[in-house]
Amino acid sequence: MNFKFFNCFIICILCSAKLWAQLPKTEFKGFGHIEYSLDFVNPQKPDSYFILGEHDLFVQSKITKRFSYLGEFVIRYNGASATKFLPSIERTLVKYAYLNNHSVIFGKIHTPLNYWNDSYHHGRVFFPVISRPIAFSHFVPLHTIGVQAQGQNIGKWNFGYDVVIGNGIASTDIFDSNSSPGLAAAIHIKPIDGMRIGVSHYFNRMDQNGYGSHSGHVIPAGTAYRGPLDFYLNSLSFAYFGKNFEILSESSRNLTRTDSLGFANNFSTFLYLGYVIKEKHVPMVMVDYINISKNDLHSMPMELLKLGLGYRYEFSHLLNVKGMVEYYFQHSHAHHGSGPQQNYFAIEMQLAYGF
Amino acid sequence: MQFLISLFLYLFLSNPLLAQTEERLVIIGNKTGLTELTLKDARDIFKGKMTFWKNQEEVIIVLPSPKSDDASGVAREIFQTSVTGMQKHWLALVFQGRANPPVFVQSTLEAINYVNKNPGAIAALYCKSSDVPASITIKLKY
């Protein structure tokens, strides 16, 4: 009896091993970060605190020769949750490579609107500085769910394109009440290794202005406009990550149009410069500016300039520490409308890791 | 005298036996449709710029793992950086969703076995050319 049981057990193990060998090749990685901040928003009583940052489970799987899967699942602090943390699906997509370097992607993606949003996603270990550009919290549509046509490394200039039709800014992960989808188109070239130059355009006609779950936009408190609104965003980015120098510059011009107030002109620009010493030490400077017009009804009017001076130390490709001294010139605050000008400085440190 | 020294150096350096015993960048592949390759094309392929070969086999990149003896030579010759730089390049590419991850192998022998078993696989090694079978070697043109 025992011998029969043992035989069955061996056969089961062998069968499961064969099945296991046929399973798609799947890789898991994780990313996370912890920060320390000392800010002088109130110069009489500076705030000093540690921050537990986003923790990101990254999954990549080759399903067949032409199909692959990518997922990014993030757990982050959320004060409204009973546990103070909430999970979210930041990317989940199936990619079909139908021809050399040409693919179709279905799922939830990061919109390919500039270099940052298309490259760094939620892995802080990839970020050259501590925080995302300010515009990400105000008018850059971060995600969408839909269909994307993608091409890359085409021809001598390594031309690439991305065209996306997906749910608009006001949508959630399961519903979009607006009849018009969001449209994004981006092209780039990579003339030399480490360099990428790109332009992009985004358009979304909203029957009802909203903020959904894809925008990450600061919602104007108590004054949310719910009428029709056309949202345009044009972006230009230049990135060069070479052996000695790193440059990332991206600018966006955002237009919103409403029947009542016409066009509102918004603008943002971000510049990062780093000097790489022996692959490990990177002293850096950063300029980040945003200006949102007073007649804008989607984003809260504001003008903010952030200057940063910092240093990054790379322990390995999966571990780095960054320190920055930042100064904020705040002409009107996003949360308090056109309130009084308030300038302050902050010191931030970040330990970013992958595992 | 100068002529004799030059002749000696030429004969010595061009000796095929010597080339086989020197460690150098060696590319091997299986059903890639390639018999020879320029260094520039090799760099493009190993940096993930190709998805399929002309015969529609999938490009499977095989690279030495960081602990392998081949790693620093391959990183220097192909990626023109350190082993960390090579890993960083691929981690970013996979994270961006722009490529499937490469296969990392511990040794030259493991690379040969993997390439032999997987059509479309191409491996970069830093070893003696006599260490790899000539039947799967892709000639590198400098």
Side-chain angles (χ1 to χ4, degrees), chain B residues 16-29:
Chain B
L17 285 173
L18 186 74
Q20 285 183 8
T21 55
E22 264 183 352
E23 288 199 334
R24 53 162 62 188
L25 182 65
V26 177
I27 309 292
I28 58 172

Side-chain angles (χ1 to χ4, degrees), chain A residues 95 100-102 150-162 188-193 195-196, chain B residues 44-45 47-51 89-90 93 96 98-99:
Chain A
K95 183 175 181 175
N100 195 23
N101 294 353
H102 298 270
Q150 184 181 75
Q152 57 179 345
N153 299 312
I154 300 163
K156 188 183 164 190
W157 293 81
N158 294 301
F159 173 79
Y161 66 85
D162 293 276
H188 68 257
I189 53 167
K190 292 191 271 187
I192 58 171
D193 271 348
M195 182 183 288
R196 185 175 128 165
Chain B
D44 284 349
I45 291 165
K47 285 177 182 174
K49 291 184 181 175
M50 275 187 81
T51 313
H89 172 89
W90 268 103
L93 213 56
Q96 287 164 21
R98 301 242 167 217

Side-chain angles (χ1 to χ4, degrees), chain B residues 8 12 19 26-27 47 62 64-65 68 71 79 89 98 113 122 133 138:
Chain B
F8 174 76
F12 182 76
V26 177
I27 309 292
K47 285 177 182 174
V62 182
S65 73
S68 161
F79 294 87
H89 172 89
R98 301 242 167 217
N113 287 337
I122 185 166
I138 298 169

Side-chain angles (χ1 to χ4, degrees), chain A residues 156-226:
Chain A
K156 188 183 164 190
W157 293 81
N158 294 301
F159 173 79
Y161 66 85
D162 293 276
V163 179
V164 181
I165 300 175
N167 286 352
I169 296 167
S171 67
T172 67
D173 282 340
I174 56 165
F175 185 65
D176 188 0
S177 60
N178 284 305
S179 51
S180 304
L183 303 169
I187 54 170
H188 68 257
I189 53 167
K190 292 191 271 187
I192 58 171
D193 271 348
M195 182 183 288
R196 185 175 128 165
I197 304 164
V199 293
S200 66
H201 175 74
Y202 179 88
F203 173 68
N204 187 205
R205 170 162 290 164
M206 288 181 269
D207 307 327
Q208 278 190 315
N209 177 49
Y211 304 91
S213 59
H214 300 306
S215 60
H217 299 174
V218 173
I219 301 168
T223 58
Y225 165 72
R226 293 292 175 196

Side-chain angles (χ1 to χ4, degrees), chain A residues 28-32 55-58 125 318 353-355:
Chain A
F28 297 89
K29 288 207 178 300
F31 300 95
H55 279 67
D56 177 3
L57 175 66
F58 176 76
V125 78
L318 288 173
Y353 42 86
F355 48 90

Side-chain angles (χ1 to χ4, degrees), chain A residues 55-70:
Chain A
H55 279 67
D56 177 3
L57 175 66
F58 176 76
V59 183
Q60 204 279 347
S61 181
K62 199 167 85 178
I63 302 167
T64 69
K65 190 166 109 176
R66 292 188 182 271
F67 280 98
S68 61
Y69 171 80
L70 186 151

Side-chain angles (χ1 to χ4, degrees), chain A residues 191 326 341:
Chain A
E326 295 166 346
Q341 179 177 320

Side-chain angles (χ1 to χ4, degrees), chain B residues 32-109:
Chain B
T32 60
L34 300 171
T35 52
E36 57 179 29
L37 200 57
T38 65
L39 183 59
K40 185 191 173 300
D41 287 343
R43 283 177 176 157
D44 284 349
I45 291 165
F46 284 99
K47 285 177 182 174
K49 291 184 181 175
M50 275 187 81
T51 313
F52 293 99
W53 302 113
K54 280 182 183 166
N55 59 15
Q56 293 308 303
E57 286 290 351
E58 179 195 8
V59 177
I60 304 171
I61 304 293
V62 182
L63 290 169
S65 73
K67 287 180 183 171
S68 161
D69 295 337
D70 298 7
S72 60
V74 169
R76 187 177 63 245
E77 297 284 329
I78 294 280
F79 294 87
Q80 297 163 288
T81 181
S82 64
V83 175
T84 303
M86 175 175 80
Q87 290 177 288
K88 196 173 177 177
H89 172 89
W90 268 103
L91 183 69
L93 213 56
V94 172
F95 189 68
Q96 287 164 21
R98 301 242 167 217
N100 287 320
V103 175
F104 285 100
V105 291
Q106 299 289 338
S107 65
T108 304
L109 188 63

